[in-house]
Amino acid sequence: MNPRLWIAYDYTDITECLDTLDRILTRHPDRDIIHEIGRPTVLAAALQGFPIVREFRTRLDGGQQLVADIKGYDVPYSAEASEYYKAGVDLVTVMATAPDEAIIEAVNGARNDSKLVAFDLMSHRNDASKVARAIQLVDMGAKLISCHTGWNEQAAGKTPHCLIGQLGEALEGHPDVCMIAMGGLAPESVFELAQLPSFSRIYAIVGGSSITRSGDPASVVQAFLDNLRHAHFRQGDPS
């Protein structure tokens, strides 16, 4: 499997967010690119009463996958995800620290709606606890695990690479479970991740500020796509 590019739009200015989306889609309407409405954007749009999901969904007319980074915790499906799914979102995020009962609700809700849910490990204090929790999540039915290095962790020099490697080894017996690499990644990060044996288990590589804060976001998207293709060929799969 070749990881997909996932673009995270983290804005509090809705106009700026949609302008960036439009600039990217003009050059990259690719169906395989995943687009995420980041949590800051979700919250800003809610406070302004702005239909952000509808605006994204209207623009993503090629059937691209749409994510809402709601970072759910309590009743993450019935109180939040179910409404986002109905509005046109394909995947939502839930924090891995949520109670087991909430995890199971999120898993079952996504399955019943034929949607996806990713569980974000950012809230755990170190990689060992993240791996341990990920195994518990998989035992409860999780299929997507987000190896997310948050902004504060990035400032301390951390990246998702080590966690991806450790978790890939721990999940060897679960071939249907995939990981998401997220946090401070740039186009060159693709080749670093491609050195990991678990690279083929990565569902998506997330580009956030490296794309959206660039003066030419569409060109950075192209660099990500080029590197993903090159990494795929290096792995010996020309498809």
Side-chain angles (χ1 to χ4, degrees):
M1 180 184 74
N2 193 28
R4 298 166 67 181
L5 174 61
W6 170 323
I7 305 172
Y9 301 83
D10 288 308
Y11 289 90
T12 54
D13 185 319
I14 303 303
T15 299
E16 186 180 2
C17 177
L18 294 176
D19 284 347
T20 302
L21 174 63
D22 289 339
R23 290 173 66 190
I24 290 173
L25 289 176
T26 295
R27 286 174 54 187
H28 297 288
D30 315 46
R31 180 180 176 85
D32 285 344
I33 295 177
I34 300 168
H35 298 266
E36 175 204 304
I37 307 171
R39 182 168 174 80
T41 310
V42 168
L43 295 176
L47 288 170
Q48 297 171 34
F50 186 86
I52 190 66
V53 174
R54 186 181 71 194
E55 290 296 324
F56 262 74
R57 191 76 273 172
T58 297
R59 288 165 166 78
L60 301 179
D61 56 4
Q64 298 94 330
Q65 194 173 87
L66 178 60
V67 178
D69 185 25
I70 61 174
K71 290 185 170 67
Y73 191 86
D74 190 29
V75 284
Y77 171 73
S78 56
E80 295 180 303
S82 61
E83 297 303 316
Y84 280 92
Y85 291 151
K86 289 175 187 175
V89 164
D90 303 296
L91 186 156
V92 301
T93 60
V94 170
M95 298 308 292
T97 46
D100 290 355
E101 294 83 356
I103 299 294
I104 292 169
E105 185 207 42
V107 167
N108 290 339
R111 182 185 300 121
N112 291 339
D113 287 357
S114 299
K115 300 285 187 175
L116 298 172
V117 56
F119 295 94
D120 191 324
L121 293 171
M122 180 176 61
S123 49
H124 283 72
R125 65 185 179 275
N126 56 47
D127 286 353
S129 63
K130 290 177 181 180
V131 171
R133 183 54 173 166
I135 293 171
Q136 295 173 346
L137 294 170
V138 170
D139 288 340
M140 288 184 276
K143 301 297 182 187
L144 280 175
I145 307 294
S146 180
C147 297
H148 186 183
T149 302
W151 287 346
N152 292 119
E153 291 175 296
Q154 292 172 40
K158 294 183 180 180
T159 72
H161 299 58
C162 184
L163 178 57
I164 289 278
Q166 293 179 47
L167 188 53
E169 291 182 10
L171 295 177
E172 281 186 359
H174 301 276
D176 57 338
V177 178
C178 294
M179 298 172 289
I180 299 162
M182 179 182 294
L185 301 178
E188 56 269 23
S189 305
V190 172
F191 294 124
E192 297 167 7
L193 289 166
Q195 302 303 310
L196 300 172
S198 51
F199 182 68
S200 62
R201 300 284 298 276
I202 299 177
Y203 178 76
I205 293 175
V206 180
S209 59
S210 64
I211 295 174
T212 59
R213 303 305 178 189
S214 164
D216 187 358
S219 291
V220 183
V221 168
Q222 187 62 56
F224 265 107
L225 295 175
D226 289 344
N227 289 356
L228 281 166
R229 293 189 187 99
H230 291 157
H232 198 39
F233 280 114
R234 287 184 185 182
Q235 298 249 323
D237 186 350
S239 60

